[in-house]
Amino acid sequence: MPHTLASLVNHTALKLTVLAGEGRLEVPVRWAHASELIDPVPYMEGGELLLITALKLDAQDAEATRRYVRRVAEAGVVGLGFAVGVNYEGVPQALVEAAAEQGLPLLGVPRRTPFIAISKAVSAAVAADQYRAVTAGFEAQRELTRAALSAEGPAELLARLAAHLDGWAALYDASGAVVAAAPDWAARRAARLADDVGRLRERPAPASSVVSDTDGDDRVELQSLGTGRRARGVLAVGTGAPLGTAERYAVHSAVALLTLTTERSRALQDAEQRLGAAVLKMLLAGEPDHARAVAGRLYGGLLDAPFRMVVAEAVAGDEQAAGGGASGGGASGVLDGLADAMDSAAARTGEAVLAVPDGGRLIVLVADGGAAADACAAYAAAAEARAAAQPRSPGRSGRAEAGHPEGVAVGLSAPTGPMAAANAYRQAEQALSVARRRGRALVEHEDVAAGSVLPLLADDAVRAFADGLLRALREHDARGRGDLVASLRAWLARHGQWDAAAADLGVHRHTLRYRMRRVEEILGRSLDDADVRMELWLALKATSGAPGE
């Protein structure tokens, strides 16, 4: 308990008397300080008992005394101690009245009680209070350490911490999800802080912040966990008042223990990641039996059931559907976020996830239909929602195009097993390529296989090739020498059937035959070549809607 004016008044050796402010004696006293300055405020910090003899103050001047008392009260001085019988035989009535007006406690100090005795009493009480706080902090540290080493681990630690603070505590993982809370009802309270936790996680660890509760009256303090660039978790504590010294020791101990646990887990994760990389390498090399033997119990369950291969890249936030390569830098943090989301989801359900960083990519094996696969889809959907909310800008073709979803492109293979892992990797890469070209955050291989190839032609390089291939025909038509492009389109659409194509065009079949010979002459290529017909058809589809079409 902090030392108060009441405890000083009750100190039998000091013989202090209360002259004003009787109702405010329970206020804590941080220090006792003697000053005869007319204006001691610049040297006050607040919380002091100011001891005076009125050597320079005319304590019988009501107005001067009122100004003095008002100024020290506004500066946070908690009380005045006036030495009786030094400069004044009694306590000036003007001083008593001024103190009463401000509600400031005024204590009479008898002549036989030196100011130094009051200072020593306050100092001893402050030291005793600090000793009690440190002792309580060390005891809390021992208790929290035992809890951290128990079978329940962080959950038991949070329960002990909440009890020590007479409040609540919650732990968030690297993705910002609540993984433990004490008491149980605190999980709902902690979930409402997702945005605040997200902002703290964006800052380098260690970091902290205090947030106010609009739905309650508790004070919430957030502390990031980890020693690296990115926070590995966040601790939240809610209390009814600011933390005292003992409570602060307890929170700092909890942060240290949880950070140690997190970093130790990170070291294990790094070892698991190296093992996972070896398993993946064997799978892609067509050695499933060796991969299963190395996977052991850690990843063996993942290989016993259908899994999906995920290949993800960090891409520039303003990358257009034309499809560029992966970009590093700040966008690489998006891959960390994706990995954290999948790891957290899998941890909650107890399923295995094999994740291997590969340069600017992330390769992941997830159980088909599992929580990690769902988390991957949800992460991509959130990225696309953010991209859709951004203003659309004109692309190189003049059309309005949306930017690529915020830094992520993901390709997802069809469900497969260890024997076909290499094929699943190719499927995921193909889906990833389509995701980049279409400006999508996630594309599944089944969608690519079941869809049309035509959307894949929406590429500037493809359009440039098509324009070059058909330019001579368009220039011929523009000079009014025949409708070769439309005739070519009709002939190809009818699979080279002269009568049907001529009927579509409303011309005689001999006219159409003449036009097709002109197409061959102008292009210098034979329409009997299936590859030529295919290229011309795709070129016509890629430029569909262009001027003159």
Side-chain angles (χ1 to χ4, degrees), residues 235-280:
L235 172 67
V237 294
T239 54
L243 300 176
T245 303
E247 291 79 8
R248 179 64 60 190
Y249 271 116
V251 171
H252 286 172
S253 297
V255 169
L257 290 167
L258 291 171
T259 295
L260 180 62
T261 301
T262 301
E263 293 300 325
R264 181 176 60 185
S265 299
R266 187 63 182 175
L268 293 175
Q269 290 172 7
D270 290 342
E272 292 175 359
Q273 192 174 89
R274 288 192 292 272
L275 179 63
V279 171
L280 179 63

Side-chain angles (χ1 to χ4, degrees), residues 5-6 57 60 86 93 118 160 194 200 202 209 221 228 232 266 309 328 344 405-406 422 434 462 499 527 535:
L5 291 176
L57 173 68
Q60 293 179 332
V86 178
Q93 187 61 28
I118 300 174
R160 300 288 182 88
L200 184 68
E202 293 174 356
S209 65
E221 185 167 320
R232 299 297 177 187
R266 187 63 182 175
M309 187 84 71
S344 299
E406 189 176 307
V434 174
V462 174
D499 290 340
L527 293 178
E535 289 179 1

